Amino acid sequence: MGKKKSRPVVAVVGRPNVGKSTLFNALAGEKISIVKDTPGITRDRIYADVTWLDKSFTLIDTGGIEPESKDIILSQMREQAQIAIDTADVILFMVDVKQGLVDTDSRVADMLRRSGKPIVLAVNKVDSFQKYEADVYEFYNLGIGEPFPISSVNKLGFGELLDEVISHFEQDAEQDEEEDERTKIAIVGKPNVGKSSIINKLIGENRLIVSDIAGTTRDAVDTEVVYHGKEYVFIDTAGLRRKNKIKEELERYMIIRTVTAVERADIVVLVIDAVEGVTEQDAKIAGIAHDRGKATIIAVNKWDLIEKDNKTVNQFTQKIRQILSFMPYAEILFISAETGQRLPKLYEMIDIVYENHAMRVATGVLNEIMAEAVALQQPPADKGKRLRLYYITQASVKPPTFVIFVNDKELMHFSYTRYLENQIREAFGFRGTPLRFIIRERKEK
């Protein structure tokens, strides 16, 4: 069982109306998972998971542009390019064959080229190569290599384009193979909730080295820490000190940064501001960790500033459970980076949650639990046909993923899957980690 590697990130950059979202939707296909109850994050289509020839990656849309004037478009494109350079493993630069080579394209291409990141050039709206051959070749002038003609609408040319995109992952994959066994923790949350203070406090005397670890060209600084003889890597997303005027853009940037950090982590620590309480924006960020199947700890920071009586913790916990109802498994910890209150407990919790995220349960035991669960609560029936559960096995870890074989997938209601999940959690705890269930059909003999 190989260690589960983080998915590479591919960011799409391009002027308005070159067809970014059409490409996005075509590649994401119907596979975009809208998990029930997860707050409106996947619906914004800022990111999607794409699989091509058994390689999976996260596709990110770096931003929408309000076309007002050429200058505004250029400055917003630079912003997009910067986000892509900061966060992506591969940059997909999109241009439009019908508009031809535009000055803005050349300027952004210069910026991308200087970054040294791998860039793949997609020339969109080429519905017939014969007709546009000369126009496609014109884009060699951008100086970023071979243009790949595609048509997002007709899904033409995707094969060559994606082959090129994933060819840039190989180097990283080799590096990942000797991947360290250190626990990686992404500290995420809205701006100014105290992410950096927490990291600084956790590091204290335990700092090993602070460096960009080779192979991560991200601007999130990874901090290595040794605590009680164990090594941890903290991935910080706190670099959001940008002078952005537009709230939406800031939020998009925050989401992209969070997606890329969460992607590389085993465990996500979502920091919530105790004074502000749990917000819609916290739910969006939590939704990313949930979608990505990561173990999650919710750290309520600035707890020292709260007036407390014996009900405070319970009330706050209920509020969190209510707003983050899609992740009842998340562990909650009340801390203060300022006073250091309960911060050592965070290491303990990280260890527990890490073990649960990587826990394997023997097939025999799983089937006993399932048989007992079925005996306790009869599976649903529909039009005289009853759901039968034949067999359950754990397919993978991080997160623990189970395959259940049944007679009819249609009969396996969400609520019954949740019931089984609760039985499994009751037996094994699995604190802090989501569980995934895959339902397979096996025809009755």
Side-chain angles (χ1 to χ4, degrees), residues 17-284:
N17 310 323
V18 293
K20 294 200 296 272
S21 50
T22 319
L23 175 74
F24 213 76
N25 294 338
L27 289 180
E30 292 317 300
K31 290 198 294 289
I32 188 122
S33 61
I34 294 186
V35 182
K36 284 194 173 75
D37 317 334
T38 309
I41 166 110
T42 27
R43 299 170 191 57
D44 304 347
R45 278 290 171 96
I46 291 181
Y47 66 87
D49 296 331
V50 179
T51 304
W52 176 250
L53 303 181
D54 80 12
K55 294 267 191 304
S56 296
F57 59 91
T58 300
L59 188 66
I60 284 190
D61 181 2
T62 51
I65 291 183
E66 298 307 312
E68 289 170 40
S69 70
K70 283 208 168 67
D71 305 340
I72 290 178
I73 290 182
L74 181 60
S75 74
Q76 291 185 330
M77 288 265 318
R78 286 199 170 125
E79 179 89 1
Q80 278 189 17
Q82 194 53 56
I83 291 177
I85 291 165
D86 287 351
T87 55
D89 297 292
V90 179
I91 297 168
L92 187 58
F93 185 35
M94 251 186 124
V95 293
D96 176 344
V97 77
K98 296 190 170 153
Q99 296 172 21
L101 187 49
V102 181
D103 183 43
T104 309
D105 292 333
S106 309
R107 294 208 197 163
V108 172
D110 287 341
M111 186 175 162
L112 293 173
R113 200 171 50 234
R114 281 197 299 273
S115 76
K117 287 267 174 115
I119 304 157
V120 179
L121 178 59
V123 183
N124 195 17
K125 307 189 187 173
V126 181
D127 33 38
S128 139
F129 188 62
Q130 280 70 31
K131 186 166 137 199
Y132 289 110
E133 193 171 1
D135 301 322
V136 169
Y137 290 137
E138 181 195 1
F139 288 98
Y140 269 111
N141 293 324
L142 287 174
I144 46 182
E146 185 185 348
F148 287 84
I150 61 165
S151 163
S152 296
V153 174
N154 305 316
K155 302 190 181 173
L156 298 173
F158 283 6
E160 288 81 8
L161 180 73
L162 292 174
D163 286 347
E164 178 65 22
V165 167
I166 65 176
S167 73
H168 295 288
F169 300 162
E170 303 307 332
Q171 314 73 280
D172 304 345
E174 263 91 83
Q175 280 175 352
D176 265 354
E177 286 314 323
E178 317 123 37
E179 194 39 294
D180 41 26
E181 286 304 307
R182 300 170 306 180
T183 308
K184 295 191 193 54
I185 305 111
I187 307 274
V188 303
K190 294 179 315 200
N192 307 323
V193 290
K195 298 188 288 286
S196 301
S197 333
I198 290 177
I199 290 182
N200 292 335
K201 202 75 167 189
L202 282 173
I203 295 162
E205 301 309 301
N206 311 311
R207 181 181 299 231
L208 186 62
I209 19 173
V210 183
S211 64
D212 270 331
I213 295 163
T216 62
T217 35
R218 318 241 192 264
D219 58 347
V221 177
D222 291 357
T223 308
E224 308 182 17
V225 173
V226 176
Y227 183 76
H228 290 335
K230 273 190 73 171
E231 292 189 40
Y232 302 85
V233 178
F234 289 99
I235 302 166
D236 181 9
T237 55
L240 254 173
R241 297 278 162 273
R242 304 174 46 123
K243 294 175 263 314
N244 261 28
K245 297 154 287 296
I246 310 165
K247 186 174 159 295
E248 286 72 50
E249 264 187 31
L250 195 71
E251 176 151 309
R252 174 182 287 263
Y253 188 67
M254 176 196 74
I255 286 174
I256 290 173
R257 286 290 296 274
T258 304
V259 171
T260 52
V262 164
E263 202 58 85
R264 296 169 49 225
D266 301 300
I267 295 172
V268 173
V269 175
L270 168 63
V271 184
I272 287 177
D273 184 325
V275 181
E276 236 185 282
V278 57
T279 65
E280 192 57 23
Q281 215 177 1
D282 294 321
K284 271 197 167 181

